[in-house]
Amino acid sequence: MTSEVSLNEDEANKKAFFVEEDASGRLDVWLSKTMAGEFSRNRIKSLIEAGAVTINNLKILEPKKKIVGGQCIEITIPKPEDPEPKPENIPLDVLFEDEHIIVINKPAGLVVHPGAGNPTGTLVNALLHHCGSSLSGIGGVKRPGIVHRLDKDTSGVMIVAKHDAAHRYLSEQFADHGRTGALERSYIALVWGAPNPPKGIINTYLGRSNDRLKRAVCSPSAPGAKHALTHFKTQNSFFMADSHEAICSLVECNLETGRTHQIRVHMAHIGHPLVGDNTYGAAFRTKANKLPDTIKSDVALFSRQALHAYLLQIVHPISNEIMRFETKPPKDMATLIDRFSTLKS
């Protein structure tokens, strides 16, 4: 029989169990059965991978770890997260603001809204501090005012609604994707190689990959498949001095749909993943080996996908004025573009 050990009050967020002598199998399976009704196996697995489980005081990070009878297994239960994000004094680069909307230039590295692994330090926390109680709650308590998003490591223009009427109006524009209205969303990206033809339309369906953190091109009939359409146009390609092969290109992408990781998946799908994108372009790291040492070091130090949302055009939700916002790439990406520009184009 498994015996649970009571811990003293200052360790009340921990539980400890002695493993029965004849027990065997995987740690995550054993714990989920032992703690039946408290946590799912997926939750147990996440806690193990987060370093919340020890065996005989040794931290274990592998859910498949085999257990042995007589071991003492401890699990630290994290305190419940506050369901509502709190205001945080995080600086914002504000491009425009009135009583209805706020438009910001999001830096790379800033998560848009709280979620697993990012309970604080998000754009939502910053907006709550900046805007106070005026933010719309129509997007849910963890996404107040948010009508669209950018990946954590994608920089660029974002718009946020300050009240429900503005939120509904903007959401309708984004749902239409500019098919019948004035909405425009454009990005610039550095991609490996040179698309051929240099411009075109990528029209696919996207769904979950086998890796739950990734998306992949899939069949229209696949579970959860969503239509995704990207227009791309090559602005410039960069060649090595002694080669006719393009090493990298600067590409503009315009979205007709707004799927998670859409540009990153689509450009990788046609064989030209984004520079710095280790999720979808890891196989192209060898491209960097062909570069001059000065550029090679810059690419090695560039720790995100080279993607910037440089243009957003919307119709103001109250005045109906067409508003257009453009921003230049941040310093890290601008420097990378400058370095590639020293190559033959």
Side-chain angles (χ1 to χ4, degrees):
M1 174 181 288
T2 302
S3 58
E4 181 175 343
V5 180
S6 297
L7 301 175
N8 57 38
E9 290 184 2
D10 63 347
E11 295 178 323
N13 62 335
K14 287 186 179 180
K15 288 190 175 184
F17 305 90
F18 283 116
V19 181
E20 60 270 25
E21 291 296 334
D22 60 348
S24 62
R26 292 169 45 141
L27 174 61
D28 59 343
V29 175
W30 184 87
L31 263 180
S32 62
K33 289 180 179 178
T34 302
M35 302 180 71
E38 292 187 65
F39 296 103
S40 68
R41 182 173 163 187
N42 283 339
R43 178 61 169 150
I44 293 289
K45 180 180 177 182
S46 297
L47 288 171
I48 294 171
E49 292 173 339
V53 175
T54 64
I55 296 181
N56 294 342
N57 294 319
L58 179 65
K59 185 180 292 185
I60 304 298
L61 301 176
E62 177 49 64
K64 297 179 181 179
K65 176 75 174 178
K66 298 298 182 182
I67 60 166
V68 177
Q71 291 175 326
C72 178
I73 297 178
E74 285 189 1
I75 180 168
T76 300
I77 311 299
K79 295 180 180 179
E81 292 182 6
D82 192 329
E84 295 190 21
K86 302 300 184 184
E88 296 179 43
N89 189 8
I90 300 170
L92 291 174
D93 181 3
V94 179
L95 304 176
F96 174 84
E97 183 177 12
D98 62 13
E99 65 268 37
H100 310 292
I101 61 173
I102 178 171
V103 182
I104 62 111
N105 185 22
K106 187 188 90 67
L110 182 64
V111 176
V112 170
H113 50 72
N118 298 286
T120 61
T122 71
L123 175 61
V124 163
N125 298 108
L127 288 167
L128 288 171
H129 180 273
H130 182 89
C131 302
S133 60
S134 66
L135 283 186
S136 163
I138 198 170
V141 294
K142 289 197 174 183
R143 306 186 185 192
I146 302 298
V147 293
H148 70 120
R149 61 182 292 275
L150 297 176
D151 291 344
K152 172 186 175 182
D153 289 326
T154 298
S155 55
V157 186
M158 279 192 64
I159 186 169
V160 176
K162 284 191 172 184
H163 54 75
D164 288 354
H167 195 291
R168 285 192 294 270
Y169 192 89
L170 291 172
S171 294
E172 289 171 0
Q173 291 186 59
F174 278 91
D176 182 66
H177 299 295
R179 297 185 188 96
T180 62
L183 179 79
E184 287 186 34
R185 299 171 68 189
S186 294
Y187 297 69
I188 53 172
L190 273 171
V191 304
W192 291 114
N196 185 21
K199 66 178 181 179
I201 299 174
I202 309 171
N203 189 358
T204 71
Y205 283 79
L206 299 184
R208 286 191 178 275
S209 167
N210 292 331
D211 181 339
R212 64 184 181 85
L213 298 178
K214 296 174 64 175
R215 297 296 187 273
V217 171
C218 65
S219 163
S221 60
K226 293 184 178 181
H227 184 225
L229 199 154
T230 303
H231 298 256
F232 71 90
K233 179 173 63 177
T234 304
Q235 294 183 346
N236 203 355
S237 294
F238 309 107
F239 299 79
M240 299 295 290
D242 57 350
S243 173
H244 294 294
E245 177 190 1
I247 194 75
C248 178
S249 296
L250 188 63
V251 174
E252 178 178 345
C253 295
N254 298 293
L255 298 182
E256 269 197 45
T257 56
R259 308 306 180 198
T260 299
H261 299 179
Q262 178 173 320
I263 292 174
R264 298 166 63 189
V265 177
H266 268 174
M267 295 311 297
H269 177 64
I270 64 170
H272 302 284
L274 275 59
V275 173
D277 192 346
N278 292 327
T279 300
Y280 297 103
F284 280 69
R285 290 176 188 168
T286 54
K287 282 273 189 180
N289 295 330
K290 301 178 181 180
L291 295 167
D293 289 341
T294 52
I295 304 178
K296 188 186 301 183
S297 62
D298 286 320
V299 171
L301 292 171
F302 193 79
S303 58
R304 67 180 182 96
Q305 64 268 7
L307 184 63
H308 176 70
Y310 86 93
L311 184 152
L312 176 63
Q313 178 175 286
I314 56 99
V315 178
H316 191 280
I318 304 302
S319 70
N320 287 322
E321 175 188 1
I322 294 179
M323 308 185 75
R324 189 177 181 90
F325 303 94
E326 295 187 39
T327 60
K328 295 180 180 179
K331 184 177 179 180
D332 64 341
M333 187 170 168
T335 298
L336 198 61
I337 293 172
D338 287 343
R339 292 288 190 271
F340 276 110
S341 296
T342 64
L343 299 176
K344 181 177 66 174
S345 61

